[in-house]
Amino acid sequence: MYLIPIPAFADNYLWLLHDGQRALVVDPGDAEPVLQALKQHALQLTSILVTHHHADHTGGVDALREATGATVYGPATERIPEPFTPLHGRDTVNVLDLDFEVLDVPGHTAGHIAFYTPDMNGKPLLFCGDTLFSGGCGRLFEGTPAQMLASLDKLAALPGDTLVCCTHEYTLGNLRFAMAVEPGNADLVAYQAHCTRLREAGQPTLPTSIAQERSINPFLRTRQATIIAAARRIDAAAHDETSVFAAIRQWKNQFK
Ligand code: ZN
Ligand code: FE
């Protein structure tokens, strides 16, 4: 299997997974770059996986369905361009002979889902939409801090070597914030240097891994003493994991 991040808009990646003949695409906000990639690699698009309803994740769905006849899968409770196969948490979808488990991950949007398969070329693979980013997480447009924290906990509990395909290249900005929260984290310092080199070379910083994110992402580290202490500088009343998470998320919203 081959995994390709197709850049779109300012900082989106439309993930294409293919076996040399058949392909799936995740969250195609734009059809044109996907059609180009299909042509370039001589692929048949069989499936479109959608994680949530935002336009930068769904804008190309109709054109791609029309051009290729691909089947569209999306969250049952969100408005996705019809017709699509509605999915709920714990459903399984077989695409390209891979079984993807559907995970409910509300927070960024109310019905946001993620797709997880335990064995793609011998490794677990996750398409997480705008829930988890490298070094960060999605904004809480439709969910509560408690919901988002539970969703991130679910993703953080996946195997450490899980390849994590996030849909935005936000990594360097997120790491600048993470360094403000946790400047003494040596893993974070090393990862920031690594990602800076990748971007200077014009390379994506993604996919990341769950193990990497557990060691550097402040939003997966809200039980760490360093993160709790940092949260209390923003909100002295932050006392449990949800209020610590909420304080860090609030700080990030205002971080320049
Ligand atoms: Zn979004
Ligand atoms: Fe997005």
Side-chain angles (χ1 to χ4, degrees):
M1 303 294 291
Y2 305 86
L3 181 63
I4 303 171
I6 303 173
F9 310 120
D11 50 34
N12 284 67
Y13 291 125
L14 319 180
W15 288 94
L16 191 76
L17 183 66
H18 74 88
D19 63 7
Q21 294 176 323
R22 299 168 305 163
L24 70 82
V25 69
V26 184
D27 286 352
D30 192 6
E32 201 47 47
V34 179
L35 291 169
Q36 274 174 29
L38 294 171
K39 199 170 167 192
Q40 183 191 342
H41 300 281
L43 300 169
Q44 172 69 36
L45 186 70
T46 62
S47 314
I48 299 172
L49 308 183
V50 175
T51 64
H52 68 292
H53 67 84
H54 287 159
D56 65 314
H57 298 249
T58 58
V61 166
D62 282 336
L64 285 173
R65 189 200 296 103
E66 201 162 306
T68 65
T71 304
V72 181
Y73 300 88
T77 59
E78 299 209 345
R79 282 164 85 84
I80 305 302
E82 305 267 1
F84 73 100
T85 302
L87 299 176
H88 301 86
R90 299 186 160 194
D91 284 351
T92 300
V93 275
N94 186 278
V95 176
L96 302 185
D97 299 325
L98 295 172
D99 280 327
F100 283 91
E101 185 188 339
V102 178
L103 307 175
D104 266 326
V105 286
H108 177 67
T109 63
H112 200 305
I113 58 173
F115 296 88
Y116 172 78
T117 188
D119 183 0
M120 191 284 294
N121 295 348
K123 275 197 177 184
L125 173 69
L126 173 71
F127 295 113
C128 58
D130 286 352
T131 299
L132 176 63
F133 297 123
S134 187
C137 72
R139 284 178 185 264
L140 306 187
F141 288 122
E142 300 173 9
T144 63
Q147 279 178 321
M148 189 58 146
L149 182 59
S151 295
L152 292 172
D153 283 346
K154 200 180 283 187
L155 301 184
L158 295 172
D161 62 346
T162 302
L163 293 170
V164 180
C165 300
C166 319
T167 44
H168 290 274
E169 181 61 69
Y170 288 159
T171 310
L172 291 185
N174 286 338
L175 295 180
R176 223 164 41 75
F177 173 72
M179 285 289 287
V181 178
E182 212 181 8
N185 181 337
D187 289 340
L188 176 57
V189 173
Y191 184 61
Q192 186 183 39
H194 169 72
C195 290
T196 301
R197 282 194 298 274
L198 285 174
R199 295 308 291 151
E200 281 168 2
Q203 300 292 315
T205 60
L206 302 165
T208 179
S209 73
I210 289 293
Q212 181 69 261
E213 295 308 310
R214 281 188 210 132
S215 72
I216 62 94
N217 190 321
F219 298 100
L220 300 188
R221 296 171 60 73
T222 48
R223 286 100 176 166
Q224 301 286 322
T226 47
I227 304 288
I228 295 168
R232 288 198 178 141
R233 293 201 297 274
I234 302 303
D235 174 6
H239 57 285
D240 61 2
E241 54 204 35
T242 304
S243 52
V244 168
F245 177 83
I248 299 289
R249 185 60 255 184
Q250 187 60 33
W251 182 7
K252 173 72 166 67
N253 291 348
Q254 295 154 5
F255 188 74
K256 295 271 188 304

